[in-house]
Amino acid sequence: MTLLKRLILFTFLFTIAFPYQAFAYKVVLDAGHGGSDPGAIGVNGLREKDVNWDITQKVRDELTALGYEVVLTRKDDSYWALAQRVEFTNAQQADLFVSIHANAHPDGKTNGSMVLYYDNAYPQEDYPASETMKQLTPYSKDLAQHVLNSLVAAVGTKNLGLVPSAVYVARMGTIPSILVETAFLSQSSDAALLASDAVRAKMAKGIANGIAAYAPPLFTDTLTHWAREAIVRMQNKGVIEGMAANLFEPDRALTRAEFLTLMDRVFTFSEMKASCEPSGTVTSLVYGCQAGAAEQSYKDLPTSHWASPVFAKAKKLNLLQGYSDGTIRPNQPITRGEVAYLFDHLLQLSATANSRQQAAQLPSFDDVPSTLWSAKAIYALQNKGLINGITNTSFKPDQTITRAEIAALLNRYYVK
């Protein structure tokens, strides 16, 4: 099966699995040197910046044809400082960074291809790496190996292997990053290869195929996050989804619509029966049974809203009602207290509620007195080992819950 067919098949399968979150991997390509910085000058007069730029454009075209989203640092013969390249890349929320260069050596005899990456096993005291790049060593190394293997196979250059390096662009980013040294401008046979448009096209195809053979890690923005294990486990169970562009946005506040959607996946609202409890007002949002609730409509929740169906199911269960102004505010962040209250209520409605119920724990959070409307739920879930405080003595019930925190809660629920 060709690389293009494999990528098309992957995209099709991914779209089925995540109909609202299908995405193409995003790659930042960096043509080394440029502008007032020509880079190495070849024995045949070639300027490295020109070679780099030509190959980079060809890699871009190859990747674009494979369905990747590609962004270039410099887009012409302009000078970009190393820090500028990294800052630009960090702002792109991309999956991979590949810097393309040609090499040089004083002896004029060294030839071949190599790929540089940052390896935390070989730190350089004078050139410290970002904390993120230290932890990304295995991902960068894997990417480097795929690209080197493919490049050498495509062109037939000598394989000089992977090189742990502290070059700025490989050690200061936030995503798997490599620097490709295609061949040596200082050696006659390599310089001749770099002078050939046909060979440069082969080099570009080799680099692109190496990138395509590498599978970027799921949710690039969680690679070094405290909740990554829980996030990945819940994604594998089909409970949570990422956002566009292979991102999860772990520290973003969870919205009411997102929370209800997660709860429907976990508890299956359509298989539950409503239970009436005394109503309680929470920042104007009323939980519990109300007459005519199932027929109520909300002016800020049109049927076209992506979460409209799950809100309809939630209404039938009397999980929550609207605000006094006729809104339900689906896109408003949900608080930690509200999550505890609703999650505990769903546990009571679930078929396994009896097996999960335990004696309530005495108040242990300074900001959750026993008189607080959500206290019973908070302490019930804490007693079950499902939730933690922000600290040992603080729960912060009015603080919005993040996407990472809900993943952690759900992970504990499934483990229990």
Side-chain angles (χ1 to χ4, degrees):
M1 185 183 291
T2 66
L3 286 170
L4 178 57
K5 288 181 179 178
R6 286 205 298 269
L7 190 64
I8 290 174
L9 176 60
F10 171 82
T11 303
F12 174 71
L13 293 175
F14 193 91
T15 302
I16 292 176
F18 305 96
Y20 303 107
Q21 266 71 34
F23 59 83
Y25 289 126
K26 186 175 184 179
V27 181
V28 175
L29 295 178
D30 173 53
H33 304 283
S36 59
D37 176 15
I41 304 298
V43 293
N44 53 3
L46 280 177
R47 297 182 301 181
E48 184 189 354
K49 67 174 184 178
D50 298 327
V51 172
N52 298 343
W53 175 236
D54 183 66
I55 295 175
T56 298
Q57 291 182 92
K58 287 177 166 61
V59 175
R60 174 199 60 196
D61 295 343
E62 292 285 346
L63 289 177
T64 300
L66 290 173
Y68 285 80
E69 180 181 357
V70 181
V71 178
L72 304 182
T73 51
R74 68 177 180 95
K75 300 173 179 61
D76 50 29
D77 183 23
S78 55
Y79 174 79
W80 279 50
L82 297 177
Q84 185 181 5
R85 297 169 194 255
V86 172
E87 290 170 3
F88 173 83
T89 300
N90 289 346
Q92 295 303 307
Q93 295 187 319
D95 299 292
L96 308 171
F97 171 87
V98 178
S99 187
I100 296 174
H101 289 248
N103 218 334
H105 195 282
D107 67 11
K109 299 178 181 179
T110 303
N111 68 298
S113 303
M114 64 176 68
V115 178
L116 285 58
Y117 72 102
Y118 179 78
D119 195 320
N120 198 40
Y122 304 94
Q124 295 188 28
E125 184 177 349
D126 294 335
Y127 301 98
S130 68
E131 289 303 313
T132 300
M133 289 309 298
K134 292 178 183 178
Q135 298 179 61
L136 291 180
T137 288
Y139 301 106
S140 294
K141 185 176 183 179
D142 191 26
L143 171 62
Q145 191 67 69
H146 278 86
V147 170
L148 180 62
N149 291 348
S150 183
L151 171 61
V152 170
V155 188
T157 48
K158 182 179 179 180
N159 189 335
L160 297 179
L162 302 184
V163 180
S165 172
V167 292
Y168 192 91
V169 295
R171 66 179 167 88
M172 294 304 293
T174 56
I175 55 177
S177 302
I178 62 173
L179 187 150
V180 182
E181 296 281 13
T182 53
F184 282 77
L185 282 166
S186 55
Q187 198 269 343
S188 58
S189 60
D190 268 17
L193 293 176
L194 291 169
S196 167
D197 184 72
V199 174
R200 292 197 300 268
K202 289 182 179 180
M203 288 179 171
K205 191 171 186 64
I207 294 170
N209 286 348
I211 293 171
Y214 170 78
L218 181 70
F219 304 147
T220 310
D221 57 346
T222 70
L223 292 179
T224 59
H225 197 280
W226 65 267
R228 176 167 174 78
E229 184 177 347
I231 291 168
V232 172
R233 186 177 289 119
M234 290 302 96
Q235 189 275 340
N236 288 338
K237 287 187 69 70
V239 176
I240 64 174
E241 294 178 349
M243 309 306 294
N246 195 22
L247 301 176
F248 184 73
E249 300 183 3
D251 297 320
R252 176 172 65 75
L254 185 77
T255 67
R256 298 177 187 277
E258 289 174 325
F259 175 73
L260 280 185
T261 300
L262 292 176
M263 294 303 96
D264 188 24
R265 290 175 187 155
V266 173
F267 293 101
T268 313
F269 289 172
S270 60
E271 297 178 3
M272 303 179 79
K273 294 182 179 180
S275 174
C276 292
E277 292 185 349
S279 298
T281 300
V282 184
T283 59
S284 300
L285 186 60
V286 179
Y287 299 89
C289 293
Q290 283 187 343
E295 291 74 36
Q296 183 180 358
S297 60
Y298 308 112
K299 60 185 180 183
D300 61 343
L301 188 71
T303 56
S304 58
H305 191 284
W306 68 269
S308 179
V310 76
F311 272 90
K313 287 187 283 186
K315 280 197 297 183
K316 291 181 180 179
L317 291 177
N318 296 307
L319 286 181
L320 71 169
Q321 311 303 331
Y323 288 83
S324 59
D325 62 359
T327 65
I328 193 65
R329 306 177 193 179
N331 302 320
Q332 180 173 303
I334 192 166
T335 68
R336 290 167 54 83
E338 290 170 332
V339 165
Y341 185 97
L342 285 171
F343 197 89
D344 183 63
H345 185 61
L346 284 165
L347 284 178
Q348 307 314 311
L349 294 181
S350 69
T352 59
N354 291 334
S355 64
R356 294 180 182 276
Q357 288 179 345
Q358 300 178 36
Q361 182 172 306
L362 293 175
S364 59
F365 297 122
D366 294 340
D367 54 355
V368 183
S370 58
T371 55
L372 185 69
W373 65 272
S374 57
K376 181 180 178 181
I378 290 171
Y379 290 123
L381 295 186
Q382 184 195 31
N383 202 34
K384 293 180 175 73
L386 297 179
I387 60 172
N388 296 320
I390 298 299
T391 67
N392 289 336
T393 59
S394 174
F395 184 78
K396 296 189 181 300
D398 296 327
Q399 178 173 297
T400 57
I401 196 168
T402 67
R403 287 168 55 83
E405 288 173 329
I406 196 66
L409 185 156
L410 293 176
N411 183 53
R412 296 187 196 105
Y413 171 73
Y414 279 102
V415 169
K416 295 288 183 183

